[in-house]
Amino acid sequence: MSGVTVKRKTTDIKNAVPGAVLAEENGNLIVAPDKLVEFGKYLRDEAGYDYLSSVTGVDYLTYPGRDPSNRFEVVYHLYSIERGGGPLVLKVRVPEENPEVPSVVSVWPGASFQEREIWDLYGVKFPGHPNLRRILLWEGFNGHPMRKDWKEAYYEAEHKPFKSRSPKGGKPYHGEDIAPWHDNLVLPEGWDPDRWQEPVHVVPLPPTRGAGASSMKTEKVVVNVGPQHPSTHGVFRMIVELDGETIVAMEPEMGYLHRNHEKIGERNTWIMNIPYTDRLDYINSMTNNLGYVITVEKLMGLKVAERAEYLRVIMSELTRILNHFVAIGFLFNDLGAFYTPMLYGLEERELILDLFEMASGSRMMCNYMRFGGVARDVPEEFIPFAKRLVNERLPRIIDEINEYLTGNEIFLYRAKGVGVLPRDVAIAYSASGPVLRASGVRYDIRRAEPYSIYDRFDFDVVTETGGDVYDRYMVRLREMRESVKILKQALDQIPDGPVISGRKTYSFRPPMGDAYGRVEAPKGELGYYVVSDKTNNPYRYHVRAPSFINLTSLEPMLIGYKVADSVVVLGSVDIVLGEVDR
């Protein structure tokens, strides 16, 4: 992966903190663990890298030519909100025995959930983390499943396509046929499920919020919102501590849907992962596809067919409109306005799905993008149909939503000044997409680090300044207008020609190395980090899911507000549990 485009020279950064940078490899900085926090503070405060986008781990146990004394690696992708451009990549390497990397939550709070995920799946500890415990798996889970030497029940082989089942007719696990439950239930050493109690991470109430002085004596209580509740948008739970009706602490709890998408992805061949990305955010399969294929294309140095670039943009912006229709409908559903808002945009959504079906053969799980282009060209009637939809129906329905919903006095009362996320907090907590831009941060990957052919189109980056529920709604509404603007240009300019570069192939071996690719998905930054060992399968496959990381900022959005606001604030974040839990 390439280095970083910045005004400050890389040599200056390397020498800023003595002993921090151990080496530079392909533009990436190898950082000493004991200097990480000090170096991070310098990068944030002096070098301008105020945005920590992605933190992930890699187990290099079986990687060819790798020094086994540095089995685990933690990878950080840093960006500058002001400058834009590509990332500064930090890598911290630790041995197999007692792997520890200092937590950077004190520098970039957005690392909180990501460090917990690395601990959960890889067993790398982060001293200094305020709440280091499992996040996707239950506390009684034995082992860390993303490690290369961890095997699950019914284990068959490291890579797909799997060979046939056991000759004895069973499902082999290390040569034995055993049940995945009861007899196979192994608890971590020293862990007692009868005595264990789930912790609630209590944070102090900010002095600027709350109900103020009251003569009424109240006792703090802990309330579970979810996980089996429609207001939590799936199997997601908020552990809320209340003082009266005021939220004084909130702990997001997830993992009920977790199936280790990334472990599956490392056993798939490269191309087999494309339909799996559809299932991450099942509302936005087209952009899920796009983020993954551009990452692999970056790793391979693969050029994309010109017509396919236009088709990718068209599909992505139709997806953005579709997502925001649904997000606005569900937000008003959470407010109790069920019927009318939910109906707005649904017919147009179905028409967009008609276009997806024309192109891919499927309405939701599209599996349309391919390395170097798209799976197939669109039929002859696609462009005229899309133009009618973009030029006539979509602008009209967006205007109607604005007319009927934006000025609703109940909505204004429930949304204005509720769930406020200040600008500096949004950046520090690694928020992205409409959540970030509603806090006044003019940062959109399509402009900050353009991908595909977005630099050819005229559109505005939409921002609001209040950072509340209302502004997150307004950003989505206004972004639909900008998507219509992009679609009109793309549909008018799309050229003829092939839709994939080179020949179609189902098995290939990218060069050794790593790459991080990202797109401005409807919910925020969707990134993929992949590592190749020059085989048919990804050695490392990681998804930087916007829904998961945007939930990091849910706690500061809720502290000091009423319990009735919690459902509305969560709805304004716009999450899908498929990419939260993966």
Coordinates of all heavy atoms in Angstrom, one line a residue, residues 10 13 22-23 93 116 158 204 222 259 282 333 349 357 371-372 375 389 431 434 444 503 517 530 532 557 575:
T10 N 7.4 12.9 5.5 CA 7.4 11.7 6.3 C 8.6 11.6 7.2 O 8.6 11.1 8.3 CB 7.3 10.5 5.4 OG1 6.2 10.6 4.5 CG2 7.1 9.2 6.2
I13 N 8.0 13.4 10.4 CA 7.1 12.6 11.3 C 7.9 11.5 11.9 O 7.8 11.2 13.1 CB 5.9 12.0 10.5 CG1 5.0 13.2 10.1 CG2 5.2 11.0 11.3 CD1 3.9 12.8 9.2
L22 N 10.3 2.5 14.3 CA 11.4 1.5 14.2 C 11.9 1.3 12.8 O 13.0 1.0 12.5 CB 10.9 0.2 14.8 CG 10.5 0.2 16.3 CD1 10.0 -1.2 16.7 CD2 11.6 0.7 17.2
A23 N 11.0 1.4 11.8 CA 11.3 1.2 10.4 C 10.1 1.8 9.6 O 9.1 2.1 10.1 CB 11.5 -0.3 10.2
R93 N 3.9 -4.3 16.2 CA 4.1 -5.7 16.2 C 4.4 -6.2 17.6 O 5.2 -5.6 18.3 CB 5.2 -6.1 15.2 CG 4.8 -5.8 13.8 CD 5.9 -5.9 12.8 NE 5.5 -5.6 11.4 CZ 6.3 -5.5 10.4 NH1 7.6 -5.5 10.6 NH2 5.8 -5.2 9.2
R116 N -11.5 -3.4 21.5 CA -12.2 -4.5 22.1 C -12.4 -5.6 21.2 O -12.4 -6.8 21.5 CB -13.6 -4.0 22.7 CG -13.5 -3.2 23.9 CD -14.8 -2.7 24.4 NE -15.7 -3.8 24.7 CZ -17.0 -3.7 25.0 NH1 -17.5 -2.4 25.0 NH2 -17.8 -4.7 25.2
E158 N -8.8 -25.2 5.9 CA -8.5 -23.8 6.0 C -9.1 -22.9 4.9 O -9.5 -21.8 5.1 CB -6.9 -23.6 6.0 CG -6.2 -24.0 7.3 CD -6.7 -23.1 8.5 OE1 -7.0 -22.0 8.3 OE2 -6.6 -23.7 9.6
P204 N -19.4 9.8 34.3 CA -20.0 10.9 35.0 C -21.0 11.7 34.2 O -20.7 11.9 33.0 CB -18.8 11.7 35.5 CG -17.7 11.3 34.5 CD -18.0 9.9 34.2
V222 N -31.0 0.4 36.5 CA -30.4 -0.1 35.2 C -31.6 -0.7 34.4 O -32.3 -1.6 34.9 CB -29.3 -1.1 35.4 CG1 -28.8 -1.6 34.1 CG2 -28.1 -0.4 36.2
R259 N -21.5 -13.9 13.4 CA -21.2 -15.2 12.8 C -19.8 -15.3 12.2 O -19.4 -16.2 11.5 CB -22.2 -15.6 11.7 CG -22.1 -14.8 10.4 CD -22.9 -13.5 10.5 NE -23.1 -12.9 9.2 CZ -23.4 -11.6 9.0 NH1 -23.5 -10.8 10.0 NH2 -23.5 -11.1 7.8
Y282 N -27.6 -5.2 4.4 CA -28.5 -5.8 3.4 C -29.4 -4.8 2.7 O -30.1 -5.1 1.8 CB -29.3 -6.9 4.0 CG -29.7 -6.7 5.5 CD1 -30.7 -5.9 5.9 CD2 -28.9 -7.3 6.5 CE1 -31.0 -5.6 7.2 CE2 -29.2 -7.1 7.8 CZ -30.3 -6.3 8.2 OH -30.6 -6.0 9.5
N333 N -40.8 6.2 12.4 CA -41.4 5.1 13.0 C -41.0 5.0 14.5 O -41.8 4.8 15.4 CB -41.0 3.8 12.3 CG -41.6 2.6 12.9 OD1 -42.8 2.5 13.2 ND2 -40.8 1.6 13.2
R349 N -38.5 3.3 -3.7 CA -37.5 2.2 -3.4 C -37.7 1.0 -4.2 O -36.7 0.4 -4.7 CB -37.6 1.9 -1.9 CG -36.7 0.8 -1.5 CD -36.8 0.6 0.1 NE -35.8 -0.5 0.5 CZ -36.2 -1.8 0.6 NH1 -37.4 -2.1 0.3 NH2 -35.3 -2.7 1.0
E357 N -32.6 -5.2 -10.1 CA -33.0 -6.6 -10.6 C -32.7 -6.7 -12.1 O -32.2 -7.7 -12.6 CB -34.5 -6.8 -10.3 CG -34.9 -8.3 -10.7 CD -36.3 -8.6 -10.2 OE1 -37.1 -7.6 -10.0 OE2 -36.7 -9.7 -10.2
F371 N -14.1 -7.7 -9.9 CA -12.8 -7.0 -10.0 C -12.5 -6.6 -11.5 O -12.6 -7.4 -12.4 CB -11.7 -8.0 -9.6 CG -12.0 -8.6 -8.2 CD1 -11.9 -10.0 -8.0 CD2 -12.3 -7.8 -7.1 CE1 -12.2 -10.6 -6.8 CE2 -12.5 -8.4 -5.9 CZ -12.5 -9.7 -5.7
G372 N -12.3 -5.3 -11.7 CA -12.1 -4.8 -13.0 C -13.4 -4.3 -13.7 O -13.3 -3.7 -14.8
A375 N -20.5 -7.4 -13.2 CA -20.7 -8.7 -13.7 C -21.3 -8.8 -15.1 O -20.9 -9.7 -15.9 CB -21.7 -9.4 -12.7
L389 N -36.9 8.0 -13.7 CA -37.0 8.0 -12.2 C -36.2 9.1 -11.6 O -36.7 9.8 -10.7 CB -36.4 6.6 -11.7 CG -36.5 6.3 -10.2 CD1 -37.9 6.3 -9.8 CD2 -35.8 5.0 -9.9
A431 N -16.6 9.1 14.1 CA -17.9 9.0 13.4 C -17.7 9.3 12.0 O -16.7 10.0 11.6 CB -18.8 10.1 14.1
P434 N -23.3 10.7 7.5 CA -24.2 11.7 8.0 C -24.1 12.1 9.4 O -24.3 13.2 9.8 CB -25.6 11.1 7.7 CG -25.4 10.2 6.5 CD -24.1 9.6 6.8
D444 N -16.2 14.1 3.3 CA -16.9 13.1 2.5 C -15.8 12.4 1.6 O -15.1 13.1 0.9 CB -18.0 13.7 1.6 CG -18.8 12.7 0.8 OD1 -18.2 11.8 0.1 OD2 -20.0 12.9 0.8
R503 N -10.0 -10.5 -18.9 CA -10.9 -11.6 -19.0 C -11.4 -12.0 -17.6 O -10.8 -11.7 -16.6 CB -10.2 -12.8 -19.6 CG -9.0 -13.3 -18.8 CD -8.3 -14.5 -19.4 NE -7.2 -15.0 -18.6 CZ -7.4 -15.9 -17.7 NH1 -8.6 -16.4 -17.5 NH2 -6.3 -16.4 -17.0
G517 N -9.0 -0.1 1.3 CA -9.8 0.7 0.4 C -11.1 1.1 1.1 O -11.6 0.4 2.0
V530 N -7.2 -5.8 3.5 CA -6.9 -7.1 3.1 C -5.4 -7.3 3.0 O -4.7 -6.4 2.8 CB -7.5 -7.5 1.7 CG1 -9.1 -7.4 1.7 CG2 -7.0 -6.5 0.6
S532 N -2.6 -10.2 1.4 CA -2.4 -11.3 0.5 C -1.1 -12.0 0.8 O -0.1 -11.4 1.0 CB -2.4 -10.8 -1.0 OG -2.0 -11.9 -1.8
M557 N -23.7 10.8 22.9 CA -25.0 11.4 22.4 C -26.1 11.3 23.4 O -27.1 12.0 23.4 CB -25.4 10.6 21.1 CG -24.6 10.9 19.9 SD -25.5 10.1 18.5 CE -24.1 9.8 17.4
I575 N -28.3 2.3 11.9 CA -27.5 1.2 11.9 C -28.2 0.0 11.3 O -29.4 -0.1 11.2 CB -27.1 0.8 13.3 CG1 -28.3 0.4 14.2 CG2 -26.3 1.9 14.0 CD1 -27.9 -0.2 15.5

